Every structure is written in structure tokens, then in C-alpha cells.
Amino acid sequence: MLRTEEMLLNMGPQHPSTHGVLRLVIKIDGEMIREVDPVVGYLHRGTEKLAEDLTYTQIIPYTDRLDYVSAMTNNYAVVHATELLMGLEIPERAEYLRMITMELNRVASHLVWVGTYLLDLGAMSPFLYCFKDRETILNLFNELCGARLTYNYMRVGGVKWDAPDGWLQKVEEFVRYMQKELNTYHDLISGNDIFLQRTRGIGIYTKEQALSYALSGSNLRVTGVPWDLRQHQSYSLYHQFQFEIPVGETGDVLDKYHLRMQEIAESLKIVKQVLGVIKEGPIMGKVPKVLRVPEGEVYAGVESPRGELGCHIVSNGKNKPWRLKFRRPSFYNLQILPELLKGENISNLVAILGGIDIILGEVDG
Amino acid sequence: MSDQKKEKKLATEAKAVTNEGVAMSDSVGKEQGAPKSDALSQGATEKGSAKNQPVSKEQGAPKSGTLPREEAKKGSEKSDSVRKEQDAQTSANPLSEQAGEAVTKPQAASVPPKKPTATPRPAVKKPVVEKPLEPSRKQPWLDKFVVRLKELEGSEHLEDAFINRVNHDLPTLVVKGEWWRSLALHLRNHPDCQFHYVQNFSSVDYETHLEVVVHLFSFPHKERLGVRIKVDRTEAKVDSVADIWDAANWNEREAYDLMGITFEGHPDLRRIMLTDQWVGHPLRKDYVPYDEGV
């Protein structure tokens, strides 16, 4: 065996496989990783501090920029917490529109993950398929609210825009198309030998570890914990609809891939059910022009594509929050990375890091 | 869900009263709350008589002129400052202060008064007052839980335990920082608790003191729990729980970085979001940006 020396390797913050501006300081011994120190904060914009000087409606566009791959769920998190504090009734159509957009956004987000993750592993073509289909969703959103990524769509009490004529039909067409298209994805990716060899058996952690690190979303479910806030701490109108919570078996990165593909199918199922029951009606509840949120404290979590996205608001009865804190799932999920990489081969680094599915805008807040 | 909605509505309609319920649990809060609400209800009646009828909240808020509201606010500020002094003397629970304010605000904005002292419409008020008195569905659980906590060593640091009605009936504890670590160990390890999962780790600057707010979840018992840990503002120190929950590690670093709370015993307490050379802690309410060039 060759004698090797320990050396410090810097990865990022400008590295395509870190999906943003994450920096990893890696101590390696030959090809073995001894220690990893993630350095975050390069994208810290102080959203929580800024929010203290903004009215509740003004905060919403800032949330678009946290998890910029699924801005709809971010919008909902802050709006939902505010509505809880105010005790507002939301019109049914508004809730349905919210659910449609959130679930479509989940599909889009998972497609981004599948595409970029395989790009990390060296596969180019799935990326093109994923982004082609994601583009359809972005176009639908563009038609609905005039933005492709930063939607600023939801408001306290409802949503800003009603669905334009024929929009719901387009969504339905897309759902039908996408449900079939998922088979193409499986044909293309799921059986690929290189993909299987790169992902099988790596990045495994136990259920206890996952709970202690407070992982959420697919990262928690992959260990076999059927935990989904949409069902277990039900919000919006999710309790009206049937959907499964897929869980993993082995807990490796390959499992995460299958899990997220199943979640796409479940989201499409939810959208299809919502489209069956949505009726005409108002899209805004009775909300005063100036939102004065009663004094109190609330923490409300919603299931974002990456896990539990929570919003902790302390209000002192003014039109601006006294304190607003986001529980950002990527931030929690990334914490386990040093644990996973210890003793791994350096060639697995990108495969494990990619599997966590982080968005740096959210990690840094 | 319909139950929840009902409760939600209920909670806002008579938030004042629920919050008062919180204050009631603390005898100091009660004493202080009483004179204040009197002063306020006077302001409210003035406004109410101008309108001549009790208005529901939705109507009341936009319609009521700015003038009476401001008056009421002034009143509340005054009594606030008085009460703050009292607080400082008796080191009373600041919760009561919050609760007191909450009593004032909805009253100032909308008219439904909650005490039949000097107001001439008892028939209308009664239902509003009675509804929130229904104990929360979580109340029995919390009562049992508090009895067990009281048996622990250091339980005199438990300042308050109440149900946060707005937040899906979240049982909430308010404790002093000294007790946090042993309480955390109990919550994590005791077979009756098993709060293995940190849902949220937050911190708040209340200007009088700082608070670390932790929301826990127990998978075996399917229970949620909020813990508010009070920390002194000038000497912001509290024991670290990073070895109890791995999730607390980065969160404590974040709270240290942005809120300036030192977690003693933390394995690696460095700034996480800002650069190492940063001066100050931005989420403090009195933070002033430091820039040598300016």
C-alpha cells in the first residue's frame, strides 16, 4: 500500500456540483475523506432581519428567494402562519389553487433534482428531459401569475390571481401527459447500470440519526419513517384527498431517487383530484387592507419538496412581525453531511451531497 | 378540521380572553392585568358609545376612526410603562405583559368588551366570554405533564405552562435558562416524553430579555411541545444541547451568530452565516451596523 499524506482540499464556493455557493473544506488521506467542514453563508441575505421592517404582504416576495426552486411552498409557509395567527377563513377555491400550484411546484422541484443530480453523475440526457417538462410547469405558472420562478402568488387570505380561462384544462393535460411520461424516465434512468453502481449502497444513515439531525422530507422518509406534514399535521385542504406516503427500504441514494419519483406521481394524483372538485368562487377571504396581526406566537410547518418548511412568527399586534424565523429544511438536512462523508471515497462525495437535495438560497436564509 | 377552524375563529374572536387566561395562571399577571383592563375598557366604552352598538371585529377594524384608536393606544402605552416598572421590581413574568397588551389591542380596534364591569350590554358579551373558557383538548395532557415535571429537580425554574390556542393547541413551557439542559435531557430520554425530533429552533429578542424557542416533536407519543427558554440579555448564556440533539448544533451556531446567545459547552461555536470578523449580532433589536469606512 502506498504511503499517503493528509491534505486539505477546498471545494467551492464556485463549484457546479454544490448547486450554489456551498464550500466544503475536505481533509483527505489519499482518496479517503477524513473530515468535512461545510462552510455556508455565502448567500445569506438576512431575510429574517429584513422581514422585521416589512409588512406581512411585503415579506412574501422575499420568501420566493429562499428556496427558489419551489417558491410556491415558501409563499404558503409564511402566509399560512400569518393566517393561523389571524384566524382567517380561506375561500375554498383559493385553497385549491394553492394546492395545485404547490403540488405542481413539487413536481418541478423534483424534476430539477433528478436532472441535476444525474448531471452531477455525468448523465446529460435525463437533464434535458427533466427541464423540458419542468418548462411546461413554469409556463403554466407564468400564465397564472406572470413569473417563472419568483411567483409572489399567494396572499394572506387567498391568492392574488384567479386561474385564467382554460388554465385548469392545461393543467389537466399536463398531469395526464406527465403520468405517462414518468415511464419514459424509468426507462431512461432507473435501469441504467452506471447510475445504479454510482448510487447503490452509499449515503446510508439510520432512522435514529435522521431523527436526531431533524431531517425531514424525503431525507427522513428514506429511512422508513412515514412522516409527511400534509397528512400528519394537516394544513390547507389536504385531508380531503387520497395519497400515499412513499418510504424507503435501504436508505441509500438510489432509494431517494425512487422515493422522489414516487412523490412526483403522488403529487400528480393530488392535482388530478383537486381538478375534479375545484369550483368557481372567490379567491380572497375577508381581509382588512392593513394587516394587523393580533399579538401572539405561532409556529407552522408545511411540507416543502425538501422537507419541513416552518415559519415561526412572534407578533406584537403591529402590521410588521416582531420576529420571523424560517425553519429551512435544507439547512437542517445539510448538517448530516460531515457524518455521511467520513471515511467515504472522494468520488462518492458529489453523489452523496447531491442526494441530500439542498438549495443554497434556503440553507443561507 | 372543522373543529380546528371553529377553534381558530373562536380564538381570534376572543383572543383577549384566552390571553387573559394565560395571565391568570400567574398571580402577578392577574393583579396587574385587572386595573389595566379597567382603564382600557373605559376607552373602549367611549368609542363604543359613539357607535352605539357592539360591532363585530371585521366591521370594527376598518370603520373605527383613527382618533379613538390612537387614544386607546396612548393609554395602553402609559399603563405599559407603569407595568414595566412593576415588572422590574417584582421580576414578574413578561408573559403577563404580553397578555396584557393583547387585551388592549383587540379592544381598541374592535369593540366587543370582555368584562361586564361598566358596559351596558351584558347580553351580547356573555357568549363571547364563555366560549374560550372551554378548556383546550390538550389541557389534560399538559396538566399531567406539568405535575410530572414538578417532581424533577430544579422545577422551580418552570415559570409557566399554557396552551397556545392559535397554534393548533400547542402545549408550551416557559423555563429559565439554568434549567434548560436538565429539562432537555428529561424531554429527550424519559420514556413518557421521548421528544427525539427538533421541529424548530428559534430565538427572539424581547428587549427585556432574550428567548430561545424550541419546538419538539415526539414520534412515539405523537405530541408536540413548545419550550421557551428565557435568557438574560446582557449576559446571554445558556447551556448547549448540541450533544442531546444533533440538529441543535448548527442552530445554536446560527442563534449565536445572529442573536448573540452564547451556548456553553457547544463543541464548535463559531459564526455560521456571517464572516468571522463581523461586529455585533444583527437580530438584536438594538443592532447598529458597524462600518469603518463610513
Side-chain angles (χ1 to χ4, degrees):
Chain A
M1 199 161 160
L2 277 174
R3 193 185 65 85
T4 52
E5 263 174 44
E6 234 176 50
M7 102 182 210
L8 216 60
L9 183 72
N10 182 65
M11 179 181 173
Q14 284 92 6
H15 188 287
S17 293
T18 56
H19 298 268
V21 283
L22 172 69
R23 177 172 162 229
L24 297 172
V25 182
I26 311 160
K27 210 178 264 177
I28 47 173
D29 186 358
E31 290 208 327
M32 281 300 177
I33 299 175
R34 291 265 176 262
E35 213 182 304
V36 178
D37 181 22
V39 182
V40 301
Y42 288 95
L43 203 56
H44 181 66
R45 291 145 297 178
T47 311
E48 290 165 8
K49 181 72 180 172
L50 288 170
E52 289 174 8
D53 275 329
L54 298 169
T55 63
Y56 287 89
T57 317
Q58 286 171 337
I59 295 169
I60 299 167
Y62 283 79
T63 63
D64 288 334
R65 280 127 184 109
L66 285 176
D67 178 357
Y68 37 75
V69 180
S70 73
M72 284 293 183
T73 30
N74 297 347
N75 277 191
Y76 186 75
V78 69
V79 159
H80 176 54
T82 317
E83 283 161 358
L84 268 186
L85 260 177
M86 297 182 74
L88 289 177
E89 291 264 1
I90 316 301
E92 208 174 47
R93 185 179 173 84
E95 286 284 23
Y96 286 151
L97 281 173
R98 285 173 174 187
M99 287 171 64
I100 292 174
T101 51
M102 280 196 289
E103 292 310 317
L104 284 180
N105 214 173
R106 193 184 312 276
V107 175
S109 170
H110 282 345
L111 285 176
V112 171
W113 178 78
V114 174
T116 55
Y117 183 62
L118 280 142
L119 201 60
D120 285 349
L121 299 182
M124 184 73 198
S125 38
F127 174 78
L128 300 173
Y129 280 79
C130 290
F131 270 59
K132 179 180 132 269
D133 289 335
R134 172 178 178 252
E135 199 62 25
T136 319
I137 299 176
L138 295 192
N139 284 336
L140 283 170
F141 285 159
N142 198 1
E143 206 176 315
L144 183 67
C145 55
R148 285 162 44 82
L149 284 176
T150 51
Y151 309 114
N152 190 13
Y153 177 58
M154 297 184 195
R155 292 290 183 279
V156 176
V159 293
K160 179 68 182 163
W161 311 102
D162 203 347
D165 286 342
W167 191 79
L168 293 171
Q169 281 77 28
K170 281 183 197 166
V171 174
E172 197 169 1
E173 272 164 36
F174 170 75
V175 171
R176 225 176 305 130
Y177 159 81
M178 195 63 210
Q179 279 175 333
K180 270 196 220 123
E181 188 70 4
L182 279 178
N183 295 326
T184 317
Y185 283 84
H186 285 302
D187 288 346
L188 187 66
I189 305 165
S190 304
N192 185 302
D193 206 35
I194 303 172
F195 172 66
L196 293 179
Q197 286 188 21
R198 290 291 312 265
T199 53
R200 191 174 275 155
I202 60 161
I204 300 176
Y205 44 86
T206 64
K207 189 174 138 187
E208 285 71 31
Q209 270 178 312
L211 289 179
S212 181
Y213 275 100
L215 305 190
S216 49
S218 338
N219 284 303
L220 177 60
R221 289 192 283 269
V222 80
T223 59
V225 184
W227 178 246
D228 190 318
L229 295 177
R230 286 176 294 175
Q231 276 193 5
H232 294 107
Q233 288 175 11
S234 187
Y235 56 93
S236 197
L237 298 173
Y238 279 106
H239 59 278
Q240 294 180 359
F241 304 103
Q242 302 295 321
F243 59 97
E244 310 276 310
I245 306 174
V247 290
E249 285 160 19
T250 53
D252 55 10
V253 181
L254 180 62
D255 233 14
K256 283 185 191 167
Y257 160 76
H258 284 298
L259 205 71
R260 288 188 177 122
M261 290 304 273
Q262 284 173 49
E263 279 180 29
I264 293 179
E266 293 303 321
S267 287
L268 293 172
K269 235 161 82 184
I270 297 174
V271 175
K272 199 166 197 179
Q273 291 176 62
V274 178
L275 287 171
V277 293
I278 187 167
K279 288 192 276 294
E280 289 294 318
I283 54 161
M284 268 305 261
K286 277 181 193 154
V287 181
K289 267 228 168 84
V290 179
L291 288 175
R292 273 184 211 289
V293 176
E295 188 147 350
E297 183 176 4
V298 74
Y299 170 75
V302 302
E303 188 75 27
S304 101
R306 263 149 283 280
E308 178 175 349
L309 174 67
C311 191
H312 175 227
I313 298 181
V314 178
S315 165
N316 61 343
K318 302 262 166 56
N319 57 349
K320 294 164 186 170
W322 178 257
R323 169 84 164 101
L324 183 126
K325 159 90 187 171
F326 286 105
R327 187 243 201 244
R328 310 182 303 276
S330 293
F331 182 72
Y332 282 68
N333 294 347
L334 183 61
Q335 250 196 98
I336 201 173
L337 185 71
E339 188 90 16
L340 297 184
L341 288 180
K342 215 171 266 176
E344 275 288 345
N345 196 300
I346 197 163
S347 54
N348 282 340
L349 187 147
V350 169
I352 293 173
L353 170 65
I356 298 176
D357 186 17
I358 49 163
I359 296 295
L360 263 297
E362 193 177 60
V363 172
D364 292 347
Chain B
M1 192 60 192
S2 64
D3 272 298
Q4 278 182 356
K5 280 221 169 123
K6 224 190 272 169
E7 275 180 5
K8 250 194 251 169
K9 211 175 165 190
L10 200 156
T12 35
E13 263 176 22
K15 160 151 283 199
V17 193
T18 27
N19 270 321
E20 197 201 28
V22 173
M24 290 290 199
S25 64
D26 187 332
S27 63
V28 186
K30 194 178 173 184
E31 276 170 17
Q32 290 171 344
K36 187 174 174 217
S37 60
D38 271 359
L40 278 159
S41 63
Q42 272 175 22
T45 40
E46 267 178 29
K47 203 175 68 162
S49 60
K51 287 209 158 186
N52 255 341
Q53 54 171 347
V55 204
S56 81
K57 195 173 179 182
E58 280 155 18
Q59 295 167 322
K63 266 188 204 167
S64 63
T66 46
L67 224 153
R69 203 188 292 176
E70 273 170 18
E71 269 177 16
K73 228 187 220 168
K74 268 179 206 165
S76 76
E77 272 166 22
K78 236 187 246 169
S79 51
D80 262 4
S81 63
V82 174
R83 235 160 3 86
K84 259 177 198 162
E85 282 165 29
Q86 284 178 353
D87 272 359
Q89 286 169 1
T90 53
S91 75
N93 180 4
L95 253 189
S96 62
E97 183 185 311
Q98 280 173 29
E101 255 185 86
V103 173
T104 75
K105 292 278 158 59
Q107 269 203 347
S110 63
V111 189
K114 45 125 191 107
K115 275 197 177 173
T117 40
T119 37
R121 295 175 300 274
V124 191
K125 279 167 281 159
K126 255 187 184 165
V128 186
V129 177
E130 273 168 22
K131 266 185 195 168
L133 292 182
E134 285 172 30
S136 155
R137 63 198 159 88
K138 285 279 175 202
Q139 194 66 50
W141 182 85
L142 181 68
D143 290 342
K144 253 193 260 167
F145 190 66
V146 168
V147 169
R148 270 188 277 121
L149 283 183
K150 285 260 159 76
E151 292 166 8
L152 293 177
E153 201 178 323
S155 62
E156 70 272 10
H157 294 306
L158 177 67
E159 292 199 349
D160 200 358
F162 62 94
I163 303 278
N164 189 346
R165 296 298 287 260
V166 205
N167 199 357
H168 296 302
D169 293 74
L170 176 78
T172 309
L173 306 177
V174 183
V175 301
K176 281 207 186 96
E178 297 94 300
W179 195 39
W180 168 228
R181 197 182 153 78
S182 49
L183 175 68
L185 278 168
H186 176 81
L187 293 178
R188 168 79 169 72
N189 296 330
H190 196 275
D192 290 339
C193 305
Q194 294 185 311
F195 288 99
H196 294 163
Y197 191 74
V198 178
Q199 271 196 308
N200 179 40
F201 195 104
S202 172
S203 53
V204 188
D205 182 0
Y206 280 105
E207 286 190 319
T208 50
H209 62 279
L210 300 173
E211 240 171 48
V212 178
V213 185
V214 183
H215 292 93
L216 300 168
F217 185 76
S218 163
F219 274 93
H221 299 290
K222 300 271 177 280
E223 289 289 352
R224 297 199 303 150
L225 180 72
V227 188
R228 296 166 48 169
I229 304 112
K230 292 168 103 182
V231 183
D232 190 49
R233 202 163 182 283
T234 45
E235 205 182 316
K237 275 183 189 168
V238 69
D239 285 335
S240 165
V241 290
D243 55 333
I244 301 173
W245 292 287
D246 287 318
N249 190 322
W250 280 18
N251 280 295
E252 285 181 351
R253 279 178 68 187
E254 195 188 11
Y256 162 72
D257 188 359
L258 303 178
M259 192 60 90
I261 301 172
T262 309
F263 292 89
E264 288 180 319
H266 189 283
D268 183 22
L269 198 64
R270 294 176 284 144
R271 287 192 184 264
I272 186 165
M273 290 298 168
L274 307 173
T275 57
D276 292 341
Q277 297 81 30
W278 198 274
V279 178
H281 304 282
L283 282 178
R284 291 273 186 115
K285 288 286 173 182
D286 54 2
Y287 171 72
V288 186
Y290 172 81
D291 193 339
E292 269 179 293
V294 179

